Amino acid sequence: MTFKHHTPEVSTTWVVVADRSRARILASSGDSADLEELETLVNPEGAMRQSECSSDRQGYFGGRQGSLEAGDPKTDFQHKTAETFAAQVIDHLETGRTSQQFGHVVLIAAPSFLGTLRQKLPTPLARMVELQVDKDYSKCSPGEIASQLAKVRVSRT
């Protein structure tokens, strides 16, 4: 006899509102348009300038014919901090996905950070993303976010 494993449909949607310094996780249950703030992930380096995080100058190395050349970083500071924080946000979402805390995800992020999040999404989590909005609503209240999200959903139908 064969049994088919059926996973229960989770009606909760997590709404992630983020920039490179903070990610807020909000939840909407069922048909409710209200958003409840669950938690906030903070990346203090994301709000800093490179000069505030490191005191060293660029490195120098020996160039051709004995001259010194300055070394440029391959990835600038803003992208490096964004990539590190995006990985933390995705890890947090993966934990929620594997423990079936939500059924769908909405990603709302500043355009450059949204691109970084997209690159890091594993396939099972990417399938759960129902909407992506490239706007920075990270400083908005849950009510304002719900209102903006409703406008975006109406305009896409």
Side-chain angles (χ1 to χ4, degrees), residues 104-120:
H104 301 283
V105 177
V106 173
L107 297 176
I108 303 173
S112 61
F113 192 67
L114 182 59
T116 306
L117 284 171
R118 283 181 188 140
Q119 291 174 351
K120 304 236 178 254

Side-chain angles (χ1 to χ4, degrees), residues 8 12 15 29 42 60 71 92:
T12 301
V15 178
S29 298
V42 180
Y60 287 92
H92 189 76

Side-chain angles (χ1 to χ4, degrees), residues 67-153:
S67 65
L68 289 177
E69 295 180 12
D72 289 326
K74 292 183 187 218
T75 305
D76 70 350
F77 177 74
Q78 289 184 345
H79 286 95
K80 189 183 297 184
T81 58
E83 287 178 4
T84 303
F85 187 52
Q88 291 173 359
V89 172
I90 295 300
D91 285 345
H92 189 76
L93 291 175
E94 267 296 288
T95 300
R97 181 190 69 80
T98 57
S99 60
Q100 296 182 350
Q101 294 179 31
F102 59 88
H104 301 283
V105 177
V106 173
L107 297 176
I108 303 173
S112 61
F113 192 67
L114 182 59
T116 306
L117 284 171
R118 283 181 188 140
Q119 291 174 351
K120 304 236 178 254
L121 277 173
T123 303
L125 185 58
R127 287 188 197 124
M128 298 177 92
V129 175
E130 72 176 39
L131 182 63
Q132 298 178 32
V133 181
D134 60 349
K135 301 283 185 186
D136 187 0
Y137 295 144
S138 61
K139 293 174 180 57
C140 295
S141 71
E144 292 170 326
I145 294 167
S147 173
Q148 293 297 330
L149 193 54
K151 288 177 187 175
V152 168
R153 284 184 168 147

